[in-house]
Structure formats: structure tokens, C-alpha cells
Amino acid sequence: MTDMADWTEVPSDRAEMRALAMFIVEKAREAGIKIPSDDAKARPIVGKVMMAVANRTAGSAKVVPATLAELQEERGLSSKAAAAKRKREAKAEEEEEKKGDDGASPSKKKKRKQQDLSCAVPENQPLHDAFKEFEKFYWEDAKTEDNKKWTAMGMVKLTKIMRSVDFEIASGKQLRKYMEDHLKEDDPKVTRCCGKKTQQRIDECLQNEDRVFADLVTRREQDDENE
């Protein structure tokens, strides 16, 4: 008998149908698709989509991957799974870009770079761009002050996270909590890029959206005077 993952039709036997639905439930959870943790609630949801897919494809497609794709489209991914997916996609794009860079024109290279700096949530772009400019200041300072290099590297990590999150950043504290809940397990030092001072700067920017960059520059000048 073929593996369930390769079945192109839903079996008529109720026990087998139930087993197939539970198999898809498990695969959906592994993929990070948002479904109830209670099997009794998850199975009917998956079963309904599974039958709709089977009726629509009529044996022309594998039921399991087609159902998983539809579930992901309808219900979405958990924050952690979505972040992991974006990380994989970003890595794949980076590898693809490296392959194609040799023959790419300067304008195409510039366009790729600009695309890489786009936030997943457009509302976060002004905040991200301000901190990206702020990062440039620290790299410039790092030419003469070695300690500024670490601050600049922290800004690189911070802006990368700002680009990847799937929610609108409402405060520095919220962004820090996201890092603690979803990123710290893989990167124990990730929260260092969003300390109390950085959280305060994020809040200041969000409260003065029209003067985000100006606020950051002013804050930086004040910090330099106090050093």
C-alpha cells in the first residue's frame, strides 16, 4: 500500500478517512499551520478542507500536500513558523542573488538591495529606515572608535528583525518581548540589540512619526555629549 502522503483520493472507509485526516493534522502542526491543539477540534477542520480538495482535484493531485497548502492559505502560520519561513526564503534569495550577481547590471544589483530592505509589514518601514540611517552613523564612527562597531552590529540585527516581523511594531517593549518569545531560543543574545535605551528610542520615533530620523539624530548627539 502506498504511503498516505502519496494518496490522490480520500478512502471511502471511515477508519482510513479518519486516519488520513489525523495524518494531515500532524503534518499541519509540524508545518506551523494555525489549527487547534485539541485533536477533536482540529480533525473536523482538516477533514472539511481535505474533502473539498479531494472533490476539486478528483484524483489529479496528492491529497496531503494539496490540503496542507489550502490550510496554510486559509488559516496562516504561527508567528514562529512564519518567521522561520521568511528566514528560509531570505536565505534562498540571498543564495540566488549570489549566483546571479556576476552578470547583473549595477541597476539590478541596486534594485535587489532595495528590495532586501523592505519590511514585511509596510507600516514598519519609516521606523526601520530611521534606524538604518542611525546604523550608518555608528559604522562611520566605528572607523575611529572600535566600541561603536558593536553598536552598529546591534543595529544591523535590529533592522533585520524589523523587516521580518509580521505585525506592526507598537513599542520598543513589544518588539523586545517578541524577540524573547520567538527568537531567543535560537539566538540567546538577540535581545542585546533592543535594550532599554533602544526601546526608548523606538517609542520616541513612533510618537513622532513625521520626525523619526530627526529625533534619532538629536538623541544620538545628546548621547555623544554625555559620553
Side-chain angles (χ1 to χ4, degrees), residues 54-70:
N55 291 334
R56 186 173 65 250
T57 58
S60 63
K62 294 179 180 179
V63 175
V64 173
T67 302
L68 289 171
E70 188 134 332

mmCIF file with all atom_site columns, all heavy atoms in Angstrom, residues 54-70:
data_model
loop_
_atom_site.group_PDB
_atom_site.id
_atom_site.type_symbol
_atom_site.label_atom_id
_atom_site.label_alt_id
_atom_site.label_comp_id
_atom_site.label_asym_id
_atom_site.label_entity_id
_atom_site.label_seq_id
_atom_site.pdbx_PDB_ins_code
_atom_site.Cartn_x
_atom_site.Cartn_y
_atom_site.Cartn_z
_atom_site.occupancy
_atom_site.B_iso_or_equiv
_atom_site.pdbx_formal_charge
_atom_site.auth_seq_id
_atom_site.auth_comp_id
_atom_site.auth_asym_id
_atom_site.auth_atom_id
_atom_site.pdbx_PDB_model_num
ATOM 1   N N   . ALA A 1 54 ? -10.152 17.054 -2.254  1.00 0.00 ? 54 ALA A N   1
ATOM 2   C CA  . ALA A 1 54 ? -10.295 15.781 -2.974  1.00 0.00 ? 54 ALA A CA  1
ATOM 3   C C   . ALA A 1 54 ? -11.372 15.876 -4.053  1.00 0.00 ? 54 ALA A C   1
ATOM 4   O O   . ALA A 1 54 ? -11.195 15.380 -5.171  1.00 0.00 ? 54 ALA A O   1
ATOM 5   C CB  . ALA A 1 54 ? -10.644 14.667 -1.991  1.00 0.00 ? 54 ALA A CB  1
ATOM 6   N N   . ASN A 1 55 ? -12.483 16.529 -3.734  1.00 0.00 ? 55 ASN A N   1
ATOM 7   C CA  . ASN A 1 55 ? -13.568 16.685 -4.722  1.00 0.00 ? 55 ASN A CA  1
ATOM 8   C C   . ASN A 1 55 ? -13.144 17.572 -5.881  1.00 0.00 ? 55 ASN A C   1
ATOM 9   O O   . ASN A 1 55 ? -13.520 17.331 -7.039  1.00 0.00 ? 55 ASN A O   1
ATOM 10  C CB  . ASN A 1 55 ? -14.811 17.272 -4.053  1.00 0.00 ? 55 ASN A CB  1
ATOM 11  C CG  . ASN A 1 55 ? -15.457 16.291 -3.089  1.00 0.00 ? 55 ASN A CG  1
ATOM 12  O OD1 . ASN A 1 55 ? -15.326 15.076 -3.237  1.00 0.00 ? 55 ASN A OD1 1
ATOM 13  N ND2 . ASN A 1 55 ? -16.149 16.805 -2.078  1.00 0.00 ? 55 ASN A ND2 1
ATOM 14  N N   . ARG A 1 56 ? -12.367 18.595 -5.560  1.00 0.00 ? 56 ARG A N   1
ATOM 15  C CA  . ARG A 1 56 ? -11.955 19.541 -6.600  1.00 0.00 ? 56 ARG A CA  1
ATOM 16  C C   . ARG A 1 56 ? -10.880 18.949 -7.521  1.00 0.00 ? 56 ARG A C   1
ATOM 17  O O   . ARG A 1 56 ? -10.913 19.150 -8.732  1.00 0.00 ? 56 ARG A O   1
ATOM 18  C CB  . ARG A 1 56 ? -11.420 20.811 -5.955  1.00 0.00 ? 56 ARG A CB  1
ATOM 19  C CG  . ARG A 1 56 ? -11.095 21.915 -6.952  1.00 0.00 ? 56 ARG A CG  1
ATOM 20  C CD  . ARG A 1 56 ? -10.729 23.226 -6.294  1.00 0.00 ? 56 ARG A CD  1
ATOM 21  N NE  . ARG A 1 56 ? -9.500  23.138 -5.529  1.00 0.00 ? 56 ARG A NE  1
ATOM 22  C CZ  . ARG A 1 56 ? -9.432  23.192 -4.211  1.00 0.00 ? 56 ARG A CZ  1
ATOM 23  N NH1 . ARG A 1 56 ? -10.524 23.334 -3.479  1.00 0.00 ? 56 ARG A NH1 1
ATOM 24  N NH2 . ARG A 1 56 ? -8.269  23.115 -3.577  1.00 0.00 ? 56 ARG A NH2 1
ATOM 25  N N   . THR A 1 57 ? -9.929  18.207 -6.940  1.00 0.00 ? 57 THR A N   1
ATOM 26  C CA  . THR A 1 57 ? -8.832  17.673 -7.747  1.00 0.00 ? 57 THR A CA  1
ATOM 27  C C   . THR A 1 57 ? -9.200  16.353 -8.424  1.00 0.00 ? 57 THR A C   1
ATOM 28  O O   . THR A 1 57 ? -8.608  15.988 -9.436  1.00 0.00 ? 57 THR A O   1
ATOM 29  C CB  . THR A 1 57 ? -7.583  17.442 -6.871  1.00 0.00 ? 57 THR A CB  1
ATOM 30  O OG1 . THR A 1 57 ? -7.913  16.542 -5.797  1.00 0.00 ? 57 THR A OG1 1
ATOM 31  C CG2 . THR A 1 57 ? -7.096  18.766 -6.290  1.00 0.00 ? 57 THR A CG2 1
ATOM 32  N N   . ALA A 1 58 ? -10.166 15.639 -7.845  1.00 0.00 ? 58 ALA A N   1
ATOM 33  C CA  . ALA A 1 58 ? -10.672 14.391 -8.447  1.00 0.00 ? 58 ALA A CA  1
ATOM 34  C C   . ALA A 1 58 ? -9.555  13.434 -8.845  1.00 0.00 ? 58 ALA A C   1
ATOM 35  O O   . ALA A 1 58 ? -9.523  12.907 -9.967  1.00 0.00 ? 58 ALA A O   1
ATOM 36  C CB  . ALA A 1 58 ? -11.534 14.722 -9.665  1.00 0.00 ? 58 ALA A CB  1
ATOM 37  N N   . GLY A 1 59 ? -8.626  13.202 -7.940  1.00 0.00 ? 59 GLY A N   1
ATOM 38  C CA  . GLY A 1 59 ? -7.574  12.219 -8.187  1.00 0.00 ? 59 GLY A CA  1
ATOM 39  C C   . GLY A 1 59 ? -6.392  12.729 -8.989  1.00 0.00 ? 59 GLY A C   1
ATOM 40  O O   . GLY A 1 59 ? -5.469  11.966 -9.283  1.00 0.00 ? 59 GLY A O   1
ATOM 41  N N   . SER A 1 60 ? -6.384  14.026 -9.347  1.00 0.00 ? 60 SER A N   1
ATOM 42  C CA  . SER A 1 60 ? -5.295  14.565 -10.173 1.00 0.00 ? 60 SER A CA  1
ATOM 43  C C   . SER A 1 60 ? -4.143  15.128 -9.337  1.00 0.00 ? 60 SER A C   1
ATOM 44  O O   . SER A 1 60 ? -3.138  15.547 -9.893  1.00 0.00 ? 60 SER A O   1
ATOM 45  C CB  . SER A 1 60 ? -5.832  15.661 -11.099 1.00 0.00 ? 60 SER A CB  1
ATOM 46  O OG  . SER A 1 60 ? -6.325  16.760 -10.340 1.00 0.00 ? 60 SER A OG  1
ATOM 47  N N   . ALA A 1 61 ? -4.302  15.159 -8.020  1.00 0.00 ? 61 ALA A N   1
ATOM 48  C CA  . ALA A 1 61 ? -3.246  15.701 -7.149  1.00 0.00 ? 61 ALA A CA  1
ATOM 49  C C   . ALA A 1 61 ? -3.196  14.912 -5.852  1.00 0.00 ? 61 ALA A C   1
ATOM 50  O O   . ALA A 1 61 ? -4.183  14.289 -5.441  1.00 0.00 ? 61 ALA A O   1
ATOM 51  C CB  . ALA A 1 61 ? -3.510  17.180 -6.857  1.00 0.00 ? 61 ALA A CB  1
ATOM 52  N N   . LYS A 1 62 ? -2.041  14.935 -5.196  1.00 0.00 ? 62 LYS A N   1
ATOM 53  C CA  . LYS A 1 62 ? -1.905  14.254 -3.917  1.00 0.00 ? 62 LYS A CA  1
ATOM 54  C C   . LYS A 1 62 ? -2.700  15.022 -2.861  1.00 0.00 ? 62 LYS A C   1
ATOM 55  O O   . LYS A 1 62 ? -2.555  16.239 -2.725  1.00 0.00 ? 62 LYS A O   1
ATOM 56  C CB  . LYS A 1 62 ? -0.436  14.169 -3.517  1.00 0.00 ? 62 LYS A CB  1
ATOM 57  C CG  . LYS A 1 62 ? 0.378   13.272 -4.452  1.00 0.00 ? 62 LYS A CG  1
ATOM 58  C CD  . LYS A 1 62 ? 1.846   13.227 -4.040  1.00 0.00 ? 62 LYS A CD  1
ATOM 59  C CE  . LYS A 1 62 ? 2.643   12.335 -4.985  1.00 0.00 ? 62 LYS A CE  1
ATOM 60  N NZ  . LYS A 1 62 ? 4.083   12.280 -4.617  1.00 0.00 ? 62 LYS A NZ  1
ATOM 61  N N   . VAL A 1 63 ? -3.505  14.306 -2.096  1.00 0.00 ? 63 VAL A N   1
ATOM 62  C CA  . VAL A 1 63 ? -4.421  14.924 -1.139  1.00 0.00 ? 63 VAL A CA  1
ATOM 63  C C   . VAL A 1 63 ? -3.690  15.652 -0.014  1.00 0.00 ? 63 VAL A C   1
ATOM 64  O O   . VAL A 1 63 ? -4.055  16.777 0.343   1.00 0.00 ? 63 VAL A O   1
ATOM 65  C CB  . VAL A 1 63 ? -5.375  13.865 -0.541  1.00 0.00 ? 63 VAL A CB  1
ATOM 66  C CG1 . VAL A 1 63 ? -6.252  14.486 0.541   1.00 0.00 ? 63 VAL A CG1 1
ATOM 67  C CG2 . VAL A 1 63 ? -6.241  13.258 -1.636  1.00 0.00 ? 63 VAL A CG2 1
ATOM 68  N N   . VAL A 1 64 ? -2.662  15.028 0.550   1.00 0.00 ? 64 VAL A N   1
ATOM 69  C CA  . VAL A 1 64 ? -1.996  15.606 1.724   1.00 0.00 ? 64 VAL A CA  1
ATOM 70  C C   . VAL A 1 64 ? -1.341  16.957 1.428   1.00 0.00 ? 64 VAL A C   1
ATOM 71  O O   . VAL A 1 64 ? -1.663  17.953 2.079   1.00 0.00 ? 64 VAL A O   1
ATOM 72  C CB  . VAL A 1 64 ? -0.972  14.618 2.324   1.00 0.00 ? 64 VAL A CB  1
ATOM 73  C CG1 . VAL A 1 64 ? -0.161  15.300 3.443   1.00 0.00 ? 64 VAL A CG1 1
ATOM 74  C CG2 . VAL A 1 64 ? -1.689  13.390 2.876   1.00 0.00 ? 64 VAL A CG2 1
ATOM 75  N N   . PRO A 1 65 ? -0.427  17.059 0.452   1.00 0.00 ? 65 PRO A N   1
ATOM 76  C CA  . PRO A 1 65 ? 0.197   18.365 0.202   1.00 0.00 ? 65 PRO A CA  1
ATOM 77  C C   . PRO A 1 65 ? -0.795  19.428 -0.261  1.00 0.00 ? 65 PRO A C   1
ATOM 78  O O   . PRO A 1 65 ? -0.672  20.600 0.099   1.00 0.00 ? 65 PRO A O   1
ATOM 79  C CB  . PRO A 1 65 ? 1.246   18.064 -0.876  1.00 0.00 ? 65 PRO A CB  1
ATOM 80  C CG  . PRO A 1 65 ? 0.863   16.753 -1.470  1.00 0.00 ? 65 PRO A CG  1
ATOM 81  C CD  . PRO A 1 65 ? 0.172   16.002 -0.386  1.00 0.00 ? 65 PRO A CD  1
ATOM 82  N N   . ALA A 1 66 ? -1.805  19.002 -1.042  1.00 0.00 ? 66 ALA A N   1
ATOM 83  C CA  . ALA A 1 66 ? -2.802  19.957 -1.520  1.00 0.00 ? 66 ALA A CA  1
ATOM 84  C C   . ALA A 1 66 ? -3.642  20.493 -0.361  1.00 0.00 ? 66 ALA A C   1
ATOM 85  O O   . ALA A 1 66 ? -3.969  21.685 -0.304  1.00 0.00 ? 66 ALA A O   1
ATOM 86  C CB  . ALA A 1 66 ? -3.705  19.291 -2.564  1.00 0.00 ? 66 ALA A CB  1
ATOM 87  N N   . THR A 1 67 ? -3.989  19.619 0.585   1.00 0.00 ? 67 THR A N   1
ATOM 88  C CA  . THR A 1 67 ? -4.757  20.038 1.762   1.00 0.00 ? 67 THR A CA  1
ATOM 89  C C   . THR A 1 67 ? -3.934  20.957 2.652   1.00 0.00 ? 67 THR A C   1
ATOM 90  O O   . THR A 1 67 ? -4.429  21.968 3.151   1.00 0.00 ? 67 THR A O   1
ATOM 91  C CB  . THR A 1 67 ? -5.225  18.809 2.573   1.00 0.00 ? 67 THR A CB  1
ATOM 92  O OG1 . THR A 1 67 ? -6.017  17.963 1.728   1.00 0.00 ? 67 THR A OG1 1
ATOM 93  C CG2 . THR A 1 67 ? -6.066  19.234 3.772   1.00 0.00 ? 67 THR A CG2 1
ATOM 94  N N   . LEU A 1 68 ? -2.669  20.618 2.844   1.00 0.00 ? 68 LEU A N   1
ATOM 95  C CA  . LEU A 1 68 ? -1.786  21.448 3.668   1.00 0.00 ? 68 LEU A CA  1
ATOM 96  C C   . LEU A 1 68 ? -1.628  22.843 3.070   1.00 0.00 ? 68 LEU A C   1
ATOM 97  O O   . LEU A 1 68 ? -1.643  23.846 3.787   1.00 0.00 ? 68 LEU A O   1
ATOM 98  C CB  . LEU A 1 68 ? -0.419  20.786 3.815   1.00 0.00 ? 68 LEU A CB  1
ATOM 99  C CG  . LEU A 1 68 ? -0.367  19.532 4.692   1.00 0.00 ? 68 LEU A CG  1
ATOM 100 C CD1 . LEU A 1 68 ? 0.990   18.855 4.580   1.00 0.00 ? 68 LEU A CD1 1
ATOM 101 C CD2 . LEU A 1 68 ? -0.671  19.870 6.148   1.00 0.00 ? 68 LEU A CD2 1
ATOM 102 N N   . ALA A 1 69 ? -1.513  22.907 1.751   1.00 0.00 ? 69 ALA A N   1
ATOM 103 C CA  . ALA A 1 69 ? -1.364  24.204 1.083   1.00 0.00 ? 69 ALA A CA  1
ATOM 104 C C   . ALA A 1 69 ? -2.612  25.053 1.280   1.00 0.00 ? 69 ALA A C   1
ATOM 105 O O   . ALA A 1 69 ? -2.534  26.259 1.535   1.00 0.00 ? 69 ALA A O   1
ATOM 106 C CB  . ALA A 1 69 ? -1.094  23.991 -0.405  1.00 0.00 ? 69 ALA A CB  1
ATOM 107 N N   . GLU A 1 70 ? -3.774  24.411 1.173   1.00 0.00 ? 70 GLU A N   1
ATOM 108 C CA  . GLU A 1 70 ? -5.029  25.149 1.345   1.00 0.00 ? 70 GLU A CA  1
ATOM 109 C C   . GLU A 1 70 ? -5.223  25.585 2.804   1.00 0.00 ? 70 GLU A C   1
ATOM 110 O O   . GLU A 1 70 ? -5.700  26.688 3.076   1.00 0.00 ? 70 GLU A O   1
ATOM 111 C CB  . GLU A 1 70 ? -6.213  24.285 0.886   1.00 0.00 ? 70 GLU A CB  1
ATOM 112 C CG  . GLU A 1 70 ? -7.513  25.035 0.839   1.00 0.00 ? 70 GLU A CG  1
ATOM 113 C CD  . GLU A 1 70 ? -8.283  24.776 -0.459  1.00 0.00 ? 70 GLU A CD  1
ATOM 114 O OE1 . GLU A 1 70 ? -7.651  24.479 -1.483  1.00 0.00 ? 70 GLU A OE1 1
ATOM 115 O OE2 . GLU A 1 70 ? -9.501  24.882 -0.431  1.00 0.00 ? 70 GLU A OE2 1
#
